[in-house]
Amino acid sequence: MSRARLIEQIKQKKSFLCVGLDTDIDKIPEFLKDYPDPILEFNKRIIDATKDLCVAYKPNAAFYEAYGIKGLQSLINTWKYLPSECLNIIDAKRGDIGNTSDKYARAFFDEKASGMSFDAITITPYMGNDSVTPYLAYEGKWVILLALTSSVGSKDFQYLQTGDGYLYETVIKKANTWAGADRIMYVVGATKSTEFTNIRKFAPDNFLLVPGVGAQGGSLEDVCRYGITKDCGLIVNASRSIIYASNGMDFAEAARTEAQNIQQQMQAELEKAGVI
């Protein structure tokens, strides 16, 4: 998906919501476990209930890989079911030397090889340029680099002084020499909202993938106050607060209600910022 098409979707749907498909078989409604593929059935119903309210979906690879071949097949079939108008992101957080990264890129970008071709992938950038460029070799695909996460441990490394600012600042400045804002996004946790002003100094035009709104307690209003741009520039992810809004027969309807609440807040923020 191109940057222009993503912006078009944001304006059309009045939303910059990403629904995280962190599907845990131990948390899905019991009645779904009678289906041949409970994870896929759960995902399909969540997608059907939310696809007009969001601009992206983000399966987390670990929640599928944990179940071996069956889990990978659920992931492949989930990717196939995702609506074409939505950005589809694989949250894989891979990061390795060039020849290994090449195989990871093939796994998630080359449909002929693996059965999947996601639009974007999350990457750990700490092995440098040669761990990232194999993904950029796939035309039209996005690389989403971890910059400043919402995890408690983010202070262990991301705030280290490098002589050129914090380490997370150095990552952004260096990565922006590898590709433009039409190919690279950054992960910035919603609980770090006051840092968005600083991040925008180094990444004024890049889209930021923002986890941590919802169950993790991040403030959508604060994220927008400090991070929104004329093109929106934000994709805000919510996972547990949407997909586990109910564990009963009404789980899909409850997910829709929660997604709609977030979308309405996003519409207000987009109008306030003059994006729509």
Side-chain angles (χ1 to χ4, degrees):
M1 176 180 287
S2 69
R3 178 185 172 92
R5 189 176 174 203
L6 175 58
I7 294 168
E8 180 186 352
Q9 282 293 301
I10 290 169
K11 292 180 177 180
Q12 180 180 320
K13 293 182 175 178
K14 300 178 175 61
S15 172
F16 46 99
L17 174 62
C18 174
V19 175
L21 297 174
D22 301 359
T23 307
D24 186 340
I25 200 166
D26 295 325
K27 294 181 179 179
I28 68 175
E30 279 297 319
F31 79 91
L32 291 177
K33 295 177 184 178
D34 293 331
Y35 284 81
D37 188 340
I39 290 175
L40 177 63
E41 187 64 28
F42 178 85
N43 288 348
K44 287 169 68 174
R45 296 190 189 202
I46 292 291
I47 292 164
D48 288 345
T50 59
K51 61 186 178 183
D52 61 320
L53 301 170
C54 66
V55 298
Y57 288 97
K58 182 174 69 64
N60 186 319
F63 285 81
Y64 302 85
E65 293 171 337
Y67 302 108
I69 293 172
K70 286 184 66 176
L72 286 172
Q73 193 60 59
S74 297
L75 179 60
I76 291 168
N77 289 335
T78 294
W79 172 77
K80 289 179 178 178
Y81 197 76
L82 292 173
S84 60
E85 74 271 14
C86 292
L87 182 74
N88 52 80
I89 303 165
I90 183 66
D91 192 358
K93 298 185 180 72
R94 300 300 196 257
D96 211 325
I97 59 174
N99 61 343
T100 307
S101 287
D102 178 69
K103 295 299 184 283
Y104 281 138
R106 181 174 295 185
F108 293 112
F109 285 165
D110 186 342
E111 185 178 1
K112 289 182 180 179
S114 67
M116 298 178 285
S117 182
F118 283 89
D119 295 322
I121 186 171
T122 58
I123 296 295
T124 302
Y126 291 96
M127 290 186 74
N129 176 280
D130 61 334
S131 68
V132 175
T133 51
Y135 302 93
L136 293 170
Y138 285 80
E139 187 175 352
K141 301 296 188 180
W142 292 87
V143 171
I144 308 176
L145 301 175
L146 297 183
L148 186 59
T149 61
S150 55
S151 57
V152 174
S154 63
K155 65 182 182 298
D156 291 343
F157 300 116
Q158 294 164 27
Y159 282 103
L160 291 178
Q161 288 285 349
T162 66
D164 188 31
Y166 292 125
L167 181 56
Y168 83 81
E169 296 173 345
T170 302
V171 167
I172 294 171
K173 287 185 280 188
K174 186 65 175 177
N176 274 344
T177 69
W178 302 338
D182 59 336
R183 298 294 307 280
I184 289 181
M185 302 186 193
Y186 296 100
V187 176
V188 181
T191 58
K192 309 292 185 180
S193 58
T194 55
E195 295 283 0
F196 277 70
T197 301
N198 186 51
I199 287 166
R200 282 303 185 200
K201 295 176 186 176
F202 310 111
D205 300 317
N206 297 81
F207 267 84
L208 306 179
L209 175 62
V210 185
V213 168
Q216 295 183 51
S219 164
L220 178 63
E221 184 179 4
D222 285 347
V223 167
C224 292
R225 178 182 297 121
Y226 300 113
I228 203 165
T229 69
K230 61 180 176 59
D231 294 326
C232 182
L234 300 169
I235 300 173
V236 171
N237 181 78
S239 300
R240 287 171 289 170
S241 62
I242 292 177
I243 67 174
Y244 300 132
S246 169
N247 65 353
M249 296 287 290
D250 67 338
F251 78 95
E253 291 83 357
R256 179 173 180 80
T257 298
E258 180 62 24
Q260 196 160 35
N261 289 339
I262 297 173
Q263 181 274 322
Q264 289 171 352
Q265 295 173 51
M266 289 179 168
Q267 179 174 345
E269 295 294 342
L270 289 168
E271 290 172 347
K272 189 192 306 183
V275 178
I276 58 174

